[in-house]
Amino acid sequence: MSGAAPGRRGGRRRAGAAGSPDMRMLFEPRGVAVIGASREPGKIGHRIVHNLLSQPGHPPVFPVNPRGGRILGLPAAERIADVRAPIDIACLAVPAPLVLGAAEACAAAGVRFLVVVSSGFSEVGNAEGERRLVELARAGGMRVLGPNIFGLFVARSALNCGFAPADIRPGNLAIITQSGAMGGAMIGQTAAEHIGLSAIVPVGNKADIDEADLLEYLGDDPGTETILIYIEGVKQGRRLARALAETTPRKPVIVIKSGRSSRGAMAAASHTGSLAGSDAVFDAVMRQCGVLRAEHLQEALLWCKFMGASPPPRGENTLIVTNGGGAGVATADACEKHGVRLHDGAAQLQRRFGPLTPALGSTRNPIDLTGQAGQREYEAALDAALTAESVHAVIAIYCETALLGFDTLAESIARSHAAYRAAGKPIACVLLGGVQVKACAAELRARGLPAFEEVYNAASCLGALYRHARLRDRPPAPAELVDLDRTAAAEIARTARARGRRFLAAPEARALLAALDIPAPRSLAARALGEAVAAAEEIGFPVALKVVSRDILHKSDVGGVALDLEDRAELIDAYGAILHNCRERLPGARIEGVEVASMVPRGIEVIVGARRDPAFGPIVMFGLGGIYVEVLGDVAFRAAPLARGEIDAMIKETRAHRLLLGVRGEAPRDLRAVREALLKLAALVDGGTEITDIEINPLVVFEEGRGAMAVDARVMLAESAGNEECGNAAPSGNAAPSGNAAPSGNAAPSGNTAPDPGGDPSPAGPGGPR
């Protein structure tokens, strides 16, 4: 990911805070103690000792049980203090009320890491007990993994410290999981798919050690080629983003995130005691960090297996080889969906594959060998693709026919895989058919080779491989920084706070826009009709009129807005209509007057915003603006700070991008002004002031070189005074700012000078609820 905070690529650090232990000790311990070890086979404390001893070459194991004796042939110490050997890990398998005492004894014995399998902490509301555990551990120079986990497995150190299955297959995939049940499912499914693990580490409640800590080790681990993470909630998102951005250029990181829906988020909070947060923000930040996000476990494991068996591609030209025209067409569709670019050099393909293709076949990619093709024809075509410099990856589709020879097909495909891997070209083989085909696919998977039975799965895997390769080849770009008058912004926020508000009233919002050097239309406040006429004549017709009332949140919804008023007569009529509409539809509303604003020239309406996300800190937003922003949902997010390329990528994700480029003969719009506005808003909420949320909707973007104008703005402050650190006091809710205040059309009234009667909360203008 480009940029600074989430995208910084610096040196790797091993330890956490000053005095905390090296993370290597968690993965490569000199000794492991099991507190709560048991002689009874049905107990977790027995299973943990059994699993530790089941690994050939395991580290020294020290059971601890108050009754002493022997457990699985090992002498059991009555207290951990009685163990006279280095202990880096103590696995706590005791009831929750006994955990603090055990942790205190471990600290005195010089233990470096507590692996707490015990449950009964924040996941059931005992956040205070969890806080005290971490506090005690940190004071004793220890780190805590968990609580509420099944243990951990590390292949290189023969460590199986938990109550998961004992026969975990070693390999090059590392798994981090927040769910113990999902971790168990992953162990089972990876075994079924013949995928080996370099490590599996659950984080449970993430009281202390989290994904970012584990990535510090796994990102450098030579035995780990791919990392899979299952996440339910994010607690320190900015730190996680940095760790991911440092890891993804070197090895693929695949993430599964639950809690997409409101019910899923509630379940995640209940399960682990952490918030799922906004899925749209999470998805955008993961993409920005170069993470591959899978929809579900099956897709994630398909990606993991394919990436583990495939070399990185050297180019983007993919070739489809098939014996069925329909299957080739379906594969071409799948490739387009998953961003796999097909080789389109018709002349090159004809020269190379024409001699190998029957008269009724095709060389136009897909290469259709027709149903006459047997193994010999496939091998010739794949050999030709292997030696073609212009072909960088192949999808080979085998539709079941009597000519394929299933007795030896698996061996033929395995030879092709080996040749392609040696040559540095990815190949995805799809087998379509019945019992014989499925048996062949199962044989290939048993050999550790990816074999697909659906063309979309193959295209999905190849697409994931290409997305990671594009990230790997992308040069890092520095974040763009802007200078702001933070002193002026902070003083504006303090003034609003002194008047008892958590939002900026209209004059304050207008002053803030001026401090940010973001243009806004001229506007004046009027408490009576005569004042409104005078204001319009001073500004100059045409004007817009907008009601000012602390009780009317959405002015256009109640008929409180009038546009394009050309003269005095139209203004008088509009003034009466606005008052009538508001009093009829909201009889109890207190109407302080109206706002008269100059009309804004025609342009493209977009929404720009920034907020301190509770998990990820400063987040910027861009999308199609106006009153329908929530209905259309055409918005994109990024974590700050940002590089220019990342801003452009965010804009391109929206439909607004095409409008800004100019459509149907219209001139291109001023993208530079949009970039500058986004950079300024991001810098504003990134600490230094009490401002946590700002939204400009619409920002009207004029033709290239003519800038943009902020028509309406909403600005929120931290919940408590002095809370200025990023992410500490985000406004409630995790979704995008609403953008409900801006009227539709290209010339909405600005609302930039709504009256602020006596400093009372006035949500009438920009900055207030609308």
Side-chain angles (χ1 to χ4, degrees):
M1 183 185 68
S2 302
R8 187 175 298 119
R9 299 180 187 177
R12 308 291 291 174
R13 64 181 180 85
R14 285 291 184 186
S20 62
D22 188 330
M23 286 300 297
R24 188 181 299 275
M25 297 179 182
L26 177 64
F27 289 87
E28 304 171 34
R30 294 169 296 174
V32 181
V34 181
I35 314 297
S38 173
R39 281 174 288 276
E40 299 180 30
K43 299 286 183 127
I44 287 179
H46 181 91
R47 180 70 180 187
I48 294 171
V49 177
H50 171 270
N51 281 0
L52 282 164
L53 298 177
S54 70
Q55 307 296 306
H58 61 78
V61 179
F62 305 98
V64 178
N65 184 297
R67 298 180 182 178
R70 299 186 71 82
I71 296 176
L72 290 173
L74 296 178
E78 295 182 8
R79 303 175 306 157
I80 192 169
D82 297 335
V83 178
R84 303 301 179 188
I87 301 175
D88 291 327
I89 292 178
C91 183
L92 274 55
V94 296
L98 303 181
V99 166
L100 289 180
E104 190 172 3
C106 289
V111 171
R112 311 310 288 162
F113 287 90
L114 299 179
V115 174
V116 185
V117 302
S118 310
S119 57
F121 292 90
S122 65
E123 82 280 1
V124 294
N126 184 18
E128 175 60 20
E130 191 167 289
R131 184 195 64 78
R132 290 174 59 198
L133 170 62
V134 174
E135 189 178 78
L136 188 155
R138 287 300 184 103
M142 300 184 295
R143 300 291 304 275
V144 177
L145 182 65
N148 187 28
I149 63 174
F150 60 77
L152 78 158
F153 166 82
V154 184
R156 71 179 300 171
S157 56
L159 176 69
N160 191 342
C161 181
F163 54 92
D167 54 344
I168 299 175
R169 176 176 179 154
N172 56 26
L173 171 65
I175 297 176
I176 302 171
T177 174
Q178 195 173 352
S179 164
M182 282 294 289
M186 290 175 179
I187 293 172
Q189 290 199 31
T190 53
E193 291 295 328
H194 307 280
I195 301 172
L197 302 182
S198 62
I200 180 164
V201 189
V203 292
N205 296 359
K206 290 194 282 194
D208 180 18
I209 293 173
D210 60 14
E211 296 89 352
D213 292 303
L214 300 174
L215 286 169
E216 291 176 11
Y217 177 89
L218 295 173
D220 286 337
D221 177 27
T224 296
E225 296 181 5
T226 307
I227 300 171
L228 172 61
I229 307 177
Y230 172 79
I231 297 178
E232 292 183 353
V234 178
K235 290 186 176 181
Q236 299 185 60
R238 207 169 189 188
R239 182 167 169 265
L240 174 62
R242 289 193 189 101
L244 288 168
E246 290 176 348
T247 304
T248 53
R250 293 174 291 151
K251 56 186 68 175
V253 177
I254 298 165
V255 165
I256 309 170
K257 166 71 162 60
S258 63
R260 288 177 179 265
S261 65
S262 58
R263 293 301 296 268
M266 291 169 58
S270 172
H271 182 204
T272 64
S274 60
L275 295 178
S278 165
D279 190 70
V281 170
F282 178 88
D283 193 65
V285 174
M286 292 300 102
R287 190 162 53 251
Q288 186 179 357
C289 293
V291 167
L292 304 172
R293 185 177 182 186
E295 288 285 330
H296 46 74
L297 180 57
Q298 182 186 20
E299 182 177 59
L301 292 179
L302 284 172
W303 290 357
C304 290
K305 184 164 189 175
F306 186 72
M307 289 181 168
S310 303
R314 298 172 182 171
E316 296 272 355
N317 287 339
T318 298
L319 187 72
I320 301 170
V321 177
T322 180
N323 63 347
V329 172
T331 307
D333 289 342
C335 287
E336 182 171 332
K337 176 181 178 180
H338 291 288
V340 177
R341 301 169 192 171
L342 296 182
H343 193 313
D344 59 0
Q348 288 178 302
L349 296 177
Q350 171 61 33
R351 285 194 300 270
R352 181 162 287 267
F353 294 97
L356 306 176
T357 306
L360 297 179
S362 172
T363 61
R364 296 183 60 84
N365 198 13
I367 304 297
D368 186 359
L369 302 176
T370 76
Q372 302 175 36
Q375 287 182 32
R376 181 181 303 173
E377 288 74 19
Y378 266 97
E379 289 172 358
L382 293 180
D383 287 345
L386 180 65
T387 57
E389 292 185 3
S390 65
V391 175
H392 305 121
V394 171
I395 299 178
I397 307 163
Y398 298 80
C399 297
E400 183 174 7
T401 70
L403 301 178
L404 276 178
F406 285 95
D407 292 342
T408 57
L409 181 59
E411 185 61 38
S412 173
I413 292 175
R415 286 196 302 270
S416 295
H417 264 287
Y420 270 71
R421 185 175 179 89
K425 285 189 181 182
I427 182 170
C429 294
V430 184
L431 295 97
L432 303 176
V435 175
Q436 287 181 301
V437 169
K438 292 184 180 299
C440 181
E443 182 180 342
L444 289 168
R445 285 194 289 268
R447 297 186 183 202
L449 300 176
F452 303 98
E453 297 178 58
E454 166 56 56
V455 296
Y456 276 84
N457 288 341
S460 170
C461 288
L462 196 55
L465 187 68
Y466 270 122
R467 289 200 302 277
H468 176 69
R470 291 168 195 142
L471 167 77
R472 178 201 63 199
D473 296 336
R474 183 177 66 182
E480 294 201 19
L481 303 177
V482 293
D483 292 326
L484 295 181
D485 189 348
R486 292 185 183 273
T487 302
E491 182 58 35
I492 292 167
R494 281 193 291 270
T495 299
R497 176 76 67 188
R499 293 177 175 175
R501 283 185 273 110
R502 279 197 58 227
F503 60 87
L504 297 191
E508 297 156 346
R510 183 186 64 215
L512 178 64
L513 291 173
L516 296 176
D517 196 24
I518 297 177
R522 187 184 179 194
S523 61
L524 295 171
R527 297 178 181 274
L529 176 59
E531 292 181 10
V533 172
E537 290 176 343
E538 180 180 340
I539 291 172
F541 290 101
V543 296
L545 214 60
K546 181 164 61 175
V547 68
V548 174
S549 170
R550 72 191 70 185
D551 301 313
I552 299 176
L553 305 184
H554 307 303
K555 291 172 275 295
S556 57
D557 290 353
V558 297
V561 176
L563 306 176
D564 289 308
L565 305 177
E566 296 287 348
D567 53 34
R568 176 189 180 101
E570 287 189 8
L571 184 140
I572 292 172
D573 289 344
Y575 183 92
I578 285 174
L579 295 185
H580 171 77
N581 292 339
C582 295
R583 287 168 178 162
E584 182 179 71
R585 298 177 189 180
L586 285 175
R590 293 164 288 182
I591 299 174
E592 289 98 21
V594 296
E595 179 183 4
V596 184
S598 62
M599 292 298 296
V600 177
R602 286 184 58 84
I604 302 299
E605 291 187 357
V606 300
I607 181 171
V608 294
R611 69 186 308 272
R612 294 185 202 167
D613 185 80
F616 291 103
I619 297 291
V620 296
M621 175 192 66
F622 171 84
L624 197 59
I627 62 173
Y628 301 116
V629 63
E630 288 180 313
V631 176
L632 297 174
D634 183 39
V635 293
F637 301 90
R638 287 296 187 275
L642 293 166
R644 176 181 295 269
E646 204 63 61
I647 295 175
D648 290 343
M650 175 173 62
I651 294 172
K652 287 177 182 177
E653 288 177 13
T654 68
R655 292 189 293 273
H657 179 247
R658 293 186 63 188
L659 298 177
L660 293 171
L661 293 180
V663 294
R664 295 189 174 182
E666 293 184 353
R669 303 296 163 160
D670 201 330
L671 282 169
R672 179 193 56 80
V674 177
R675 292 189 197 99
E676 288 184 357
L678 287 166
L679 288 170
K680 289 172 181 178
L681 300 189
L684 179 68
V685 301
D686 193 8
T689 74
E690 295 181 36
I691 295 170
T692 61
D693 188 309
I694 179 168
E695 169 199 306
I696 297 174
N697 182 27
L699 178 75
V700 179
V701 188
F702 306 127
E703 291 183 4
E704 195 169 14
R706 297 186 179 181
M709 184 170 288
V711 174
D712 206 355
R714 180 182 69 124
V715 186
M716 302 296 293
L717 308 180
E719 292 182 3
S720 57
N723 195 345
E724 300 176 0
E725 291 304 315
C726 177
N728 288 343
S732 61
N734 288 315
S738 69
N740 287 332
S744 62
N746 289 316
S750 72
N752 286 340
T753 56
D756 187 14
D760 292 335
S762 175
R770 297 163 299 175

